[in-house]
Amino acid sequence: MNPRILFAALAAVSLASCGGGGASGGNSVAAAPVAAKAAPAGQNWTEVVSKTPEGGYRMGNPDAPIKLVEYGSRTCPTCGAFGQTGQKPLTEKYVTTGKVSYEFRDYLVHGQPDFAPSLLGRCTDPSAFFPLLEAMYIAQPQFEAKLADQNATNALQAQLQGKTPSQAAAAWGDYLGYVDFVKQRGIPEAKARACIADSKALDELIGLMSKGEGATVTGTPTFILNGTKIDGVSWPDVEAALKRAGA
């Protein structure tokens, strides 16, 4: 990993925040209703998942006229609130119609603590990406309790001075419990540790974060609907925007 890239990316993160991604004025006048599109025979649109050229993972009709992109952090409580309350209705009410696609892009707003969950969240088949994302958000309080322990986290940060990003990712993954978490959900430990140690995958995540739709993404979660930032960060905010777009 190029240290300059890492430094620049983490410097950008220091300017961002969890829960600070919704301040923008991009909402539009209501559009005409969009027609539903049937999924391929024998499939549900929620089962159609692929990695995008931008580095995110998209669920749903790849040609959906309404495209929702979320920049989120797996350690961000505001993102967790959306994952716990919004992911099911988003997929069940909107993605299933073929009108809306939903893409998630990891945004490392908390720096090193985000490395392991983001790498592990992508350490699976595309079909399991969104179920694992939702599971991480539902279980988020157990991870947040460890992040809130200042004495332990300060001691860990001191131990990580001079360590590589991959070593830091592994240490945080063990401390927070993410390695054990994914082991319980079908990812063998050897595979999990290989994913955490994959410097190219971490480079990709940092590159994804540094793009961040230009200057649009200043915190997490940030929702982009057909190229325009949504005002607000809650499921009601997102659903209102989807309805205005004709979903």
Side-chain angles (χ1 to χ4, degrees):
M1 174 178 298
N2 185 324
R4 291 185 178 180
I5 294 176
L6 178 62
F7 178 81
L10 294 182
V13 165
S14 69
L15 299 177
S17 63
C18 171
S24 179
N27 294 336
S28 59
V29 177
V34 172
K37 171 73 173 178
Q43 285 188 298
N44 183 300
W45 280 124
T46 61
E47 301 168 340
V48 179
V49 180
S50 61
K51 188 174 181 181
T52 67
E54 293 78 14
Y57 281 78
R58 180 185 58 222
M59 176 201 302
N61 177 7
D63 298 317
I66 302 173
K67 301 182 187 299
L68 178 68
V69 177
E70 176 187 357
Y71 284 87
S73 160
R74 295 168 194 259
T75 63
C76 166
T78 309
C79 302
F82 180 85
Q84 293 158 20
T85 62
Q87 189 169 325
K88 279 192 182 298
L90 169 61
T91 58
E92 293 175 358
K93 291 176 62 177
Y94 295 98
V95 174
T96 55
T97 66
K99 302 177 183 182
V100 178
S101 66
Y102 168 48
E103 180 179 348
F104 183 86
R105 299 178 185 175
D106 282 279
Y107 194 78
L108 310 178
V109 73
H110 290 141
Q112 289 184 351
D114 275 334
F115 289 178
S118 296
L119 290 165
L120 291 171
R122 299 156 71 90
C123 187
T124 185
D125 292 334
S127 62
F129 178 89
F130 286 98
L132 183 55
L133 175 67
E134 184 179 21
M136 284 185 173
Y137 280 145
I138 290 172
Q140 192 185 71
Q142 74 188 56
F143 306 122
E144 290 299 313
K146 291 189 173 182
L147 276 174
D149 185 339
Q150 294 266 317
N151 290 332
T153 57
N154 288 342
L156 179 58
Q157 288 173 335
Q159 293 171 14
L160 293 176
Q161 292 296 321
K163 301 294 185 181
T164 67
S166 293
Q167 289 171 327
W172 278 103
D174 285 329
Y175 168 69
L176 294 173
Y178 280 106
V179 175
D180 285 339
F181 182 82
V182 299
K183 279 172 56 181
Q184 295 166 10
R185 286 155 181 81
I187 299 178
E189 182 172 353
K191 180 179 179 181
R193 294 198 179 280
C195 287
I196 289 177
D198 188 343
S199 60
K200 289 184 179 179
L202 184 54
D203 282 347
E204 181 181 31
L205 279 170
I206 291 170
L208 178 62
M209 181 199 70
S210 63
K211 292 174 186 175
E213 298 281 343
T216 305
V217 180
T218 57
T220 57
T222 290
F223 296 96
I224 310 292
L225 187 63
N226 286 351
T228 299
K229 186 175 178 179
I230 293 176
D231 287 341
V233 295
S234 69
W235 167 238
D237 296 327
V238 172
E239 183 172 37
L242 290 171
K243 289 180 176 178
R244 284 194 297 272

